[in-house]
Amino acid sequence: MAYLINLFKILLYKIKKEKIIVINEAAGLGDYIWVRSYFKLIKNNEKYKDHKIFMLTTKRWTDFAKDFDSEYVDMFLPFKAPYAPKFAELLPLRLINADIFINFRANQNYWDKINNTVNAQIIIDNQNITNKKVFYSERYNAIISQLLPIPSDWHHSLNYKTKVKKDYGDYILLVLSGYTEGKLTLHQLKIIINELLKKYNYPIMLLGQKKDSKTYNTLATAGLKAHLINGCNKFKTYELPYIVDKAKLVITPNTSTLHMAILLNKKTLCFNSSMKHLYQSENITYITSSERISTINDDTIIEAIQKF
């Protein structure tokens, strides 16, 4: 039904000759969180305030995006697998005649089917310097560092969808997954957990995907089970705000949890160097490495936990 409503709206916009800006960030949840900062910039710009904003999203976090950003975004167009879009998913794009296409995925070939379908007069991307100035000039400055606040009633708006019934009380959130710079090794995780237990009287939730369950089981059988909460493959994407918001502290590599923690102003220890230029806050501490996370030595980790 939502799909048909979108098609009807697009045809109606065509008849009314509405001006449209299409934004492509059909990727990870973390990428979406910082791209949100552009919505208010566009709406506050005298030249573009009357444009309709169409957001290309990934299906697994579209409900989340609707709850957070319907104030700014007029239409969300979800893709189950953006690198292999279905005909029905591309059809709305074929009907759109956009004034501007802001494309954050221009340099990744597996988005070609989506990118080549969008018909726009002006294309703003991270390959073509022309036409970038309006939205891209401050990408790594004030726009991103001052993340667009989420609605104050977000607990309410997402509450009917969440399946998090159990009250875990106070806990520290330790993320097992990782992306560009890898994930924490089992040895590093043991050091972090032991140092946290010396300093805090909170259980530690290990948050991860299904494949991370083995790491949880290994740590649990190493005499740490009484201090751990298994958060591997337990929650849906739309439940992440609740899990992060209830945590006393967040420790994570570069993951969507990092972006969510910063958005919710949580005290965060980040094992990452690539995000340091994006987010600067008194609530976030970075442990950086010129190489992969696995190269960070034990003393550096222990010192960081002690100061955290």
Side-chain angles (χ1 to χ4, degrees):
M1 181 61 71
Y3 176 78
L4 294 176
I5 291 173
N6 278 347
L7 288 180
F8 176 78
K9 285 183 177 179
I10 289 171
L11 293 173
L12 190 62
Y13 290 155
K14 285 173 72 76
I15 293 172
K16 292 183 175 181
K17 297 181 179 180
E18 297 276 10
K19 294 182 178 180
I20 295 171
I21 295 174
V22 177
I23 302 176
N24 180 18
E25 189 46 275
L29 176 59
D31 298 299
Y32 159 71
I33 287 174
W34 68 259
V35 165
R36 295 178 64 250
S37 303
Y38 285 82
F39 300 157
K40 191 172 183 179
L41 175 70
I42 294 169
K43 288 297 188 181
N44 286 347
N45 188 303
E46 190 66 28
K47 186 175 181 180
Y48 302 105
K49 66 178 183 179
D50 295 325
H51 283 60
K52 302 293 183 183
I53 296 179
F54 286 16
M55 182 76 183
L56 310 188
T57 66
T58 298
K59 195 169 185 177
R60 64 186 177 87
W61 50 259
T62 299
D63 285 343
F64 171 99
K66 287 180 179 178
D67 278 315
F68 279 16
D69 293 313
S70 290
E71 175 185 355
Y72 301 100
V73 178
D74 298 278
M75 187 177 296
F76 296 90
L77 297 173
F79 292 84
K80 185 174 182 180
Y83 48 85
K86 297 179 180 179
F87 174 83
E89 293 174 327
L90 291 173
L91 180 58
L93 296 185
R94 292 192 172 100
L95 298 175
I96 296 170
N97 293 314
D99 284 77
I100 301 171
F101 178 34
I102 306 176
N103 185 15
F104 294 99
R105 295 289 153 187
N107 63 343
Q108 296 172 316
N109 294 334
Y110 45 83
W111 266 268
D112 281 352
K113 285 187 178 179
I114 291 178
N115 295 337
N116 295 336
T117 302
V118 178
N119 178 30
Q121 296 180 27
I122 298 175
I123 296 177
I124 301 171
D125 60 40
N126 50 1
Q127 288 183 322
N128 183 2
I129 296 299
T130 61
N131 301 320
K132 254 189 190 181
K133 294 181 180 178
V134 175
F135 303 107
Y136 249 71
S137 61
E138 300 178 31
R139 176 175 176 180
Y140 296 122
N141 295 315
I143 296 173
I144 303 306
S145 62
Q146 298 176 14
L147 290 176
L148 182 63
I150 57 178
S152 58
D153 63 345
W154 69 270
H155 298 79
H156 237 10
S157 59
L158 286 170
N159 188 53
Y160 72 97
K161 295 173 185 170
T162 185
K163 295 180 182 178
V164 182
K165 302 298 183 183
K166 185 175 179 180
D167 184 3
Y168 293 98
D170 294 331
Y171 55 85
I172 296 171
L173 191 63
L174 176 55
V175 181
L176 303 182
S177 303
Y179 296 120
T180 52
E181 293 170 328
K183 58 175 68 177
L184 293 159
T185 66
L186 187 62
H187 173 73
Q188 289 173 328
L189 288 168
K190 287 180 180 178
I191 292 174
I192 292 170
I193 292 170
N194 284 321
E195 290 301 316
L196 287 173
L197 292 176
K198 291 177 185 176
K199 188 174 181 180
Y200 300 103
N201 190 28
Y202 299 124
I204 300 166
M205 178 183 287
L206 302 184
L207 185 66
Q209 303 171 12
K210 185 177 182 179
K211 61 184 179 182
D212 298 308
S213 297
K214 184 178 179 180
T215 301
Y216 168 81
N217 291 332
T218 302
L219 291 167
T221 55
L224 296 170
K225 187 174 182 178
H227 306 288
L228 302 179
I229 300 171
N230 185 3
C232 296
N233 198 35
K234 299 291 185 182
F235 310 111
K236 303 296 184 184
T237 301
Y238 56 74
E239 295 170 310
L240 184 61
Y242 290 94
I243 299 304
V244 174
D245 192 48
K246 290 179 180 179
K248 302 296 288 185
L249 306 167
V250 178
I251 301 174
T252 179
N254 177 17
T255 64
S256 55
T257 306
L258 166 65
H259 298 267
M260 183 61 66
I262 294 168
L263 183 63
L264 297 174
N265 294 316
K266 303 303 293 186
K267 188 173 176 60
T268 304
L269 179 61
C270 174
F271 285 82
N272 185 269
S273 59
S274 62
M275 290 293 105
K276 194 171 185 179
H277 66 288
L278 272 183
Y279 303 125
Q280 296 292 332
S281 166
E282 61 182 14
N283 286 330
I284 182 167
T285 302
Y286 291 96
I287 299 181
T288 61
S289 170
S290 58
E291 300 176 37
R292 297 181 66 79
I293 289 173
S294 59
T295 65
I296 299 174
N297 64 56
D298 297 357
D299 290 340
T300 300
I301 295 174
I302 292 171
E303 182 181 1
I305 298 296
Q306 290 174 348
K307 291 181 178 179
F308 186 45

